[in-house]
Amino acid sequence: MTVSSGPESQTTFMDLALKEAELAAHRGEVPVGAVLVRDGEILASDGNRTLELNDPTAHAEVLVIRAAGTLLQSQRLADCDLYVTLEPCPMCAAAISFARIRRLYYGAGDEKGGAVDHGTRFFRQPTCHHAPEVYSGFGETRAAALLKSFFQSRR
């Protein structure tokens, strides 16, 4: 799938990530979705699958990075942009750095588990080899509402 570039494309890609988050919620997973894009073309999209795969590393971000790496036959995704509905955790931030993702767009901040603008602030550490350009707040209201609704239904 290809989407035109420009400011409206960030919203469109985040809309697709939000759809993946909704699908994850329907599977009983924490509703986080991600889309990996290169030159306006979607390379991979997925939502969390930690329960389904019995894999604590099966976060949406890791899944799309793995899929795109396989598709492109490269561990480096330097010309790719990642759209994710929730601020990445430390594990995902490290994967983003190691993959050399160009830009990260995320929806809702995560004060407890986030590692980009909260917590460890992974990309600001002197040991971080690559930091993407980071843009937050895309689809934030919808992403936060989806997460809040999911966790309220579990209580």
Side-chain angles (χ1 to χ4, degrees):
M1 174 181 200
T2 302
V3 178
S4 64
S5 61
E8 68 283 349
S9 64
Q10 279 72 23
T11 302
T12 303
F13 292 133
M14 188 57 75
D15 288 339
L16 295 171
L18 285 160
K19 183 65 176 169
E20 290 290 350
E22 290 169 357
L23 292 171
H26 289 298
R27 294 191 301 271
E29 302 277 0
V30 174
V32 177
V35 175
L36 195 72
V37 177
R38 181 177 71 173
D39 297 329
E41 181 180 345
I42 296 171
L43 300 176
S45 63
D46 212 335
N48 279 357
R49 294 183 183 273
T50 60
L51 299 173
E52 176 186 340
L53 299 176
N54 295 310
D55 180 355
T57 69
H59 290 197
E61 302 95 305
V62 171
L63 294 172
V64 298
I65 289 169
R66 287 177 183 162
T70 299
L71 178 70
L72 299 175
Q73 297 186 346
S74 176
Q75 65 177 327
R76 299 286 187 245
L77 305 172
D79 54 350
C80 295
D81 301 332
L82 177 64
Y83 296 80
V84 63
T85 58
L86 183 66
E87 178 181 354
C89 71
M91 174 186 70
C92 293
I96 291 164
S97 178
F98 291 143
R100 305 297 195 262
I101 300 290
R102 176 178 51 192
R103 292 184 196 102
L104 167 65
Y105 298 89
Y106 75 84
D110 186 353
E111 291 182 15
K112 184 176 179 184
V116 177
D117 291 319
H118 296 91
T120 61
R121 294 178 171 90
F122 186 88
F123 302 131
R124 297 181 193 156
Q125 299 304 314
T127 54
C128 179
H129 295 290
H130 169 77
E133 294 174 30
V134 176
Y135 304 93
S136 62
F138 287 88
E140 179 177 17
T141 302
R142 282 180 57 201
L146 183 59
L147 285 158
K148 185 176 181 179
S149 172
F150 176 81
F151 286 113
Q152 281 180 339
S153 72
R154 299 280 187 268
R155 291 183 182 138

